[in-house]
Amino acid sequence: NKLRSWALFEKRSRKILKKLVHRWTHMEMSGAVNKWRDYVVSQRRNKKILEKLVHRWTHMELGGAFNKWKEWKAEKRRNRKVLDKFIMRWTLAGVGAAYNKWMDWVQFEKN
């Protein structure tokens, strides 16, 4: 009876151990597949980036025109900010002058 129990225990232990080894092996293979997939995705991404770069280099004339437009647009924005600032100061100066005239009038009226 003890011998039979021990034999069953051994048989079950081997079966469990076999499943465990199979799972570990499968996990290692799965990890390798995931690494390979990540490598392929990375290579595809790099290829697309290089294709974009080559396309841009081959169409530099168009890229140059676009860049000039962007620079012009940025300069236009800067000029608009300067003009807005000037108008604000000019307006505030007018308000300040009007306030000063009013204060002069108030002082004149007091005397």
Side-chain angles (χ1 to χ4, degrees):
N1 199 8
K2 280 187 174 185
L3 187 59
R4 187 178 177 155
S5 294
W6 182 78
L8 286 173
F9 174 77
E10 277 293 313
K11 188 175 181 182
R12 257 192 328 201
S13 296
R14 285 184 187 179
K15 201 174 194 180
I16 291 171
L17 188 58
K18 189 176 179 181
K19 281 184 180 180
L20 185 62
V21 168
H22 177 73
R23 281 187 184 165
W24 282 345
T25 304
H26 181 69
M27 284 172 46
E28 275 189 21
M29 288 178 68
S30 175
V33 168
N34 287 338
K35 284 181 183 178
W36 174 79
R37 191 194 70 230
D38 292 345
Y39 171 78
V40 169
V41 168
S42 174
Q43 288 299 98
R44 284 181 182 163
R45 183 175 174 272
N46 289 340
K47 182 181 177 189
K48 285 181 183 179
I49 289 170
L50 285 174
E51 286 173 351
K52 271 186 171 179
L53 183 63
V54 168
H55 184 266
R56 187 166 208 176
W57 281 346
T58 56
H59 295 89
M60 283 296 264
E61 291 173 14
L62 293 175
F66 178 72
N67 288 335
K68 284 187 188 279
W69 176 82
K70 277 185 7 185
E71 289 170 12
W72 172 81
K73 190 70 173 166
E75 185 177 348
K76 189 175 177 182
R77 279 193 198 114
R78 281 191 300 273
N79 291 341
R80 182 66 197 178
K81 283 182 183 179
V82 168
L83 182 61
D84 287 346
K85 199 174 193 180
F86 170 76
I87 290 171
M88 181 61 83
R89 284 185 181 171
W90 191 34
T91 303
L92 291 177
V95 169
Y99 175 77
N100 288 336
K101 283 184 183 181
W102 178 76
M103 287 299 289
D104 289 342
W105 180 80
V106 168
Q107 289 298 323
F108 176 74
E109 288 293 317
K110 279 187 178 180
N111 294 331

